[in-house]
Amino acid sequence: MTVFDRFAIDDGRHLPQPVIDEDASTAAGTARFRAECSCGRMPQHPAGTRDQALAAHIAHVNTKIGPAKGPEWLPVGARVAILAVTMLVIWGTCYATGQTVTHDQDLTGATAKTVLGASHLAGLVLAFGLMVAVRRYIAPTRT
């Protein structure tokens, strides 16, 4: 039985799939394994034992996954804090804009609620859009 928790996989796209190579097994007279990866981009390697197939998969994972790179001068926690503050400022600006429009135009009732709701929604969309756009700069996981 193989323990898969020893693999250093960060994104779940590199799961080992050892399969029996029918052609090599027939030629050798014993079961010959080859590794496949769930990412679909693992190069073929000669069939061998199950351990050799898993070792080839580990080599594939290690070439795809490396240490996080990013600005060495700013720790990840500080980048996350800056992102959170920026998102709050974006949302706050949209909220304040909605309040200003509502009060300057003397809007009341459903119209005021619609404008405030739209400003909340616009602020959230812009803030989370920023988060998605800069996610690779905040905590990159690939080399």
Side-chain angles (χ1 to χ4, degrees):
M1 184 166 160
T2 303
V3 179
F4 290 113
D5 61 355
R6 68 181 178 175
F7 298 114
I9 299 171
D10 69 338
D11 60 0
R13 293 187 309 183
H14 297 281
L15 301 175
Q17 300 168 342
V19 296
I20 295 177
D21 189 341
E22 298 292 333
D23 296 333
S25 296
T26 303
T30 61
R32 306 294 282 176
F33 291 87
R34 64 182 164 80
E36 292 180 354
C37 186
S38 60
C39 73
R41 290 180 275 160
M42 182 175 168
Q44 292 291 332
H45 77 282
T49 65
R50 182 176 178 86
D51 290 336
Q52 289 172 340
L54 292 175
H57 181 265
I58 290 172
H60 162 71
V61 169
N62 288 336
T63 61
K64 298 294 180 191
I65 299 173
K69 65 177 187 176
E72 302 281 333
W73 53 272
L74 194 59
V76 174
R79 286 181 265 167
V80 170
I82 291 170
L83 174 63
V85 168
T86 305
M87 290 172 63
L88 187 62
V89 167
I90 288 172
W91 173 81
T93 302
C94 288
Y95 175 76
T97 301
Q99 288 287 344
T100 303
V101 167
T102 302
H103 292 296
D104 286 349
Q105 301 295 324
D106 292 327
L107 300 177
T108 58
T111 306
K113 289 181 182 180
T114 303
V115 169
L116 289 176
S119 68
H120 279 288
L121 184 61
L124 290 173
V125 167
L126 289 173
F128 285 105
L130 173 72
M131 180 180 68
V132 170
V134 300
R135 71 184 183 274
R136 291 199 164 107
Y137 300 109
I138 299 299
T141 58
R142 299 224 176 247
T143 58

